[in-house]
Amino acid sequence: MLLLDYLWIIPLLPLAGAAANGIFGRRWPKKIVTGVALGSTTLALLSALEVAREFFGPAAARIPWTHSYFTWISAGGFRADFALQMDQLTLVMLLVVTGVGWLIHIYSIGYMADDAGYTRFFSYMNLFMFFMLVLILAANYLLMFVGWEGVGLCSYLLIGFFFLKPSATNAANKAFWVNRIGDFGFLLGLFLMLRTFGSLDFAAVLPHVTEVAASPAGQAGWLTAIALLLFVGAVGKSAQLPLYVWLPDAMEGPTPVSALIHAATMVTAGVYMVARSHTIFLASPAAMQVVAVVGCVTAFFAATIGLVQTDIKKVLAYSTVSQLGYMFLGCGVGAFGAGIFHLMTHAFFKGLLFLAAGSVIHGMGGEQDMRRMGGLRKKIPWTFWTMLMATLAIAGAPGFSGFFSKDEILAATRDVSVPLWALGVLTAGLTSLYMFRLIFLAFFGTARYDERKTHVHESPRNMLAPLVVLAVLSVCGGWIAAPHLWGGVNHFDNFLSPVLAGPSPAADVASAEPESLLASLLGAPVIAGLLGFSLAWWLYIRRPKEPEKLAQSLSVPYKLLLGKYFVDELYDAVIVRPLVWISGFVLWHIVDEGAIDGTVNGVARAATESGDHLRYINSGNERSYAAWIVLGAVVFTTLLFWAVR
């Protein structure tokens, strides 16, 4: 018996954990709640590892592995099965979701230990794992959409976890509505796909894109429309311009939520969907260009905002938006393997960065403002060294995981568009600058907090152990592509090539001739990262008063960045307030109260007044009754004769 035949077991395990804790958890002691939550994710990870073992065993000849368990929807000529599949791309995502998710669950045991909503938190986290696994294991777009909406629901619940805080509930509502915009585009794309291909199954759509491209539907631009609508969904879910505004506010949720959902897994769902749909995108050069430009501009845009943020989690939030832009840049230039590679390495170092930030906040008694930190490296050394490893990885330091994936994306971009490559390299320098700014402000210099009131302490072992594991992955997680630098094989791209091979020449970009090892080590991205580090060291270690002087001398750009380009204010003025006015004044007062309520109340008032006048007929006077009868008879007879004539 192969577990590949029973893939449904993997998502079922965290669903069972969510249901058990959600229904019975309030009556259970904390140890049982912990055992259920952690046990379900542990079994899911072990199942994923067993599937990986079978994947490379005798069952490899049957890859891609697709199994339909039952007919889910059957209406007319349309049929959608509850079908799961396993191929190289699915396996990468499966190991990332279950592996990083398991580590974050362990971390959460210590981080959320004293929270009153402990049981509810783990129920939501398990439920998220279920929907994320459904999303990546689905064999058709409709089942993928169920997981897509499910992770959106869990994101809403976890962002607003501290529901007594207005800022948390506002952030949850904001995430919900912004994602609905993207999801609406995604849904329209699915409708158009069904009309064009007659199916939503991957096996019935993706292999036949070339045929449709040559048909009248393809010539009419239907494939471009499908690709762009799908990308609208990806823009919402993966927080790209112009729908990025929900992700920074999502930091209102607990830090483990930020690490799991808003760094390592959920926000990368858009990248996964674009890579899964690569044949559709490759058939539309216009759509590919849109993906590349949006990704590159978003990467630069978010990086500039990250330069001036003072909340440690907000810096990492804008960093996430920026790194997601890199992934879309890779996909947009045809290097889908490089985009997924960066997705994987990003899960390691960004998950670590958020967990380490949580360890800092935990050690500081809840403080998140970097201006009130300083000198922490000797007080929380494990947190410092692991966070430094992640910072070197995201900055693209040679030998660290981010170096390999980011360099591959930029190399592929240079062969397609030099302006986009230049902007990507500039963004790499900004990334190094704002990340080392974070390190220097938090861990170096003198303490800028009251040491008598704040007793900084290292986190417990169950929080530090995941940091160490992710630090190791942040260092060596990219070595699988290292042979590519000296003329060897990029094992990661080679592994994904059966899935991501495409009919377009753009698909061959990622497999172009590699640069020499020396050229990679001394390339523009590395130099940009080194310049960013040097500038951060000069501003925050060598001349710590210089940033304040720069902010004063460059007050206009500084205020622009500090205000996050005032995009939220623009949306509030152009969209939110007009909608509130239309809802409150037009729809409520005019339509609801004036038209609807006015009509109903007017009819009732007319009936009341008519009845009030007619009651005088019942006078009790027999002569009056006789007169009314005669009058009625005359009127009726007149009408009768008139009708006969």
Side-chain angles (χ1 to χ4, degrees):
M1 183 187 77
L2 295 175
L3 187 58
L4 278 167
D5 287 319
Y6 300 93
L7 285 175
W8 55 269
I9 291 176
I10 300 177
L12 181 65
L13 288 167
L15 178 62
N21 277 333
I23 298 172
F24 306 108
R26 291 186 179 180
R27 306 185 202 128
W28 288 344
K30 186 175 289 186
K31 288 184 177 180
I32 296 181
V33 172
T34 302
V36 170
L38 187 59
S40 63
T41 52
T42 302
L43 291 174
L45 174 59
L46 293 175
S47 299
L49 293 173
E50 170 59 21
V51 165
R53 187 192 68 80
E54 296 174 1
F55 190 93
F56 294 103
R62 297 171 59 186
I63 301 300
W65 191 287
T66 304
H67 195 104
S68 176
Y69 297 98
F70 58 86
T71 299
W72 175 29
I73 298 174
S74 181
F78 174 72
R79 171 175 167 164
D81 293 348
F82 182 85
L84 304 180
Q85 75 168 26
M86 178 60 59
D87 59 16
Q88 288 83 354
L89 179 57
T90 307
L91 183 62
V92 171
M93 294 297 297
L94 179 64
L95 293 176
V96 168
V97 171
T98 55
V100 176
W102 177 69
L103 290 172
I104 294 174
H105 272 74
I106 295 175
Y107 177 94
S108 301
I109 295 170
Y111 191 87
M112 301 295 293
D114 299 324
D115 196 278
Y118 187 87
T119 301
R120 179 167 55 92
F121 174 82
F122 278 106
S123 181
Y124 290 167
M125 290 283 276
N126 278 180
L127 186 63
F128 167 79
M129 289 282 287
F130 161 72
F131 280 119
M132 191 67 200
L133 289 170
V134 168
L135 190 156
I136 62 176
L137 288 169
N140 59 67
Y141 282 99
L142 192 58
L143 189 57
M144 175 193 277
F145 189 70
V146 172
W148 187 277
E149 289 296 293
V151 295
L153 167 66
C154 294
S155 175
Y156 168 79
L157 294 173
L158 286 163
I159 293 170
F161 181 79
F162 301 118
F163 55 83
L164 295 179
K165 289 174 58 179
S167 58
T169 56
N170 290 338
N173 289 330
K174 186 175 184 179
F176 178 85
W177 285 112
V178 173
N179 272 274
R180 295 293 70 74
I181 298 171
D183 295 350
F184 180 66
F186 189 12
L187 198 57
L188 290 178
L190 297 189
F191 290 151
L192 191 55
M193 182 186 297
L194 180 61
R195 181 183 184 278
T196 304
F197 291 91
S199 175
L200 294 178
D201 293 342
F202 296 154
V205 173
L206 302 179
H208 302 289
V209 170
T210 305
E211 302 170 16
V212 173
S215 69
Q219 300 300 318
W222 291 118
L223 289 177
T224 297
I226 292 171
L228 291 176
L229 287 170
L230 292 180
F231 184 59
V232 170
V235 165
K237 192 65 70 183
S238 295
Q240 298 294 283
L241 283 169
L243 302 181
Y244 75 95
V245 291
W246 68 270
L247 183 57
D249 289 0
M251 298 303 107
E252 289 290 339
T255 299
V257 173
S258 303
L260 178 63
I261 296 183
H262 305 123
T265 54
M266 188 197 86
V267 292
T268 60
V271 181
Y272 166 73
M273 186 270 290
V274 170
R276 173 64 68 191
S277 312
H278 67 284
T279 56
I280 298 175
F281 283 86
L282 287 172
S284 172
M288 291 287 285
Q289 188 172 13
V290 169
V291 173
V293 170
V294 169
C296 191
V297 173
T298 301
F300 174 76
F301 178 85
T304 58
I305 298 177
L307 292 172
V308 299
Q309 296 300 303
T310 56
D311 186 310
I312 190 170
K313 287 178 66 177
K314 285 292 182 70
V315 174
L316 298 180
Y318 283 105
S319 172
T320 299
V321 176
S322 181
Q323 296 303 306
L324 289 166
Y326 269 117
M327 298 175 207
F328 282 112
L329 174 60
C331 292
V333 298
F336 293 97
I340 296 298
F341 189 24
H342 198 58
L343 182 157
M344 182 185 75
T345 60
H346 178 265
F348 301 151
F349 60 70
K350 185 53 65 63
L352 173 55
L353 284 170
F354 268 110
L355 295 186
S359 183
V360 171
I361 296 168
H362 180 271
M364 290 286 295
E367 182 60 67
Q368 296 184 199
D369 193 331
M370 296 184 297
R371 295 171 297 182
R372 299 191 181 97
M373 297 181 186
L376 297 179
R377 70 183 188 281
K378 294 181 180 179
K379 296 182 180 293
I380 46 175
W382 284 92
T383 300
F384 165 68
W385 284 108
T386 53
M387 195 168 195
L388 180 61
M389 296 300 102
T391 300
L392 289 168
I394 193 175
F400 289 79
S401 61
F403 163 75
F404 298 100
S405 56
K406 189 182 294 184
D407 187 72
E408 190 175 342
I409 289 174
L410 291 175
T413 304
R414 184 185 54 202
D415 295 336
V416 175
S417 171
V418 173
L420 291 182
W421 170 80
L423 193 58
V425 170
L426 177 58
T427 303
L430 295 178
T431 301
S432 179
L433 173 57
Y434 68 67
M435 284 307 307
F436 279 104
R437 169 180 176 265
L438 183 155
I439 291 292
F440 293 147
L441 283 175
F443 295 100
F444 288 81
T446 58
R448 296 183 296 277
Y449 55 90
D450 191 340
E451 297 186 74
R452 294 172 297 178
K453 296 181 180 180
T454 304
H455 302 286
V456 181
H457 57 281
E458 189 62 277
S459 299
R461 291 181 180 178
N462 55 6
M463 291 175 64
L464 292 178
L467 300 188
V468 174
V469 174
L470 288 172
V472 172
L473 292 172
S474 296
V475 174
C476 62
W479 291 358
I480 191 173
H484 189 62
L485 297 179
W486 49 80
V489 176
N490 184 329
H491 294 292
F492 191 85
D493 270 359
N494 193 52
F495 176 69
L496 288 179
S497 59
V499 181
L500 299 181
S504 167
D508 298 328
V509 169
S511 57
E513 287 298 319
E515 297 178 321
S516 67
L517 177 60
L518 183 62
S520 295
L521 295 178
L522 299 178
V526 175
I527 294 174
L530 185 59
L531 290 174
F533 163 79
S534 302
L535 184 57
W537 177 82
W538 176 264
L539 291 174
Y540 297 97
I541 298 296
R542 184 71 175 171
R543 299 288 180 89
K545 294 184 179 180
E546 197 65 28
E548 186 176 351
K549 294 180 181 177
L550 279 175
Q552 293 175 352
S553 60
L554 301 174
S555 60
V556 174
Y558 175 74
K559 290 179 180 178
L560 185 65
L561 295 180
L562 193 63
K564 299 166 288 188
Y565 294 101
F566 302 101
V567 174
D568 284 293
E569 289 78 4
L570 176 64
Y571 285 172
D572 187 63
V574 175
I575 299 174
V576 177
R577 290 182 184 176
L579 285 177
V580 170
W581 180 82
I582 291 171
S583 300
F585 182 75
V586 178
L587 297 181
W588 177 18
H589 291 299
I590 297 179
V591 177
D592 190 15
E593 291 184 338
I596 299 176
D597 289 351
T599 301
V600 173
N601 294 335
V603 171
R605 190 179 305 108
T608 301
E609 293 176 355
S610 300
D612 185 61
H613 290 296
L614 290 174
R615 68 187 178 86
Y616 292 109
I617 298 175
N618 294 321
S619 61
N621 189 320
E622 293 180 358
R623 292 181 181 178
S624 176
Y625 292 161
W628 282 111
I629 291 173
V630 172
L631 179 61
V634 171
V635 172
F636 177 76
T637 303
T638 303
L639 291 174
L640 183 62
F641 277 111
W642 179 82
V644 170
R645 291 180 59 188

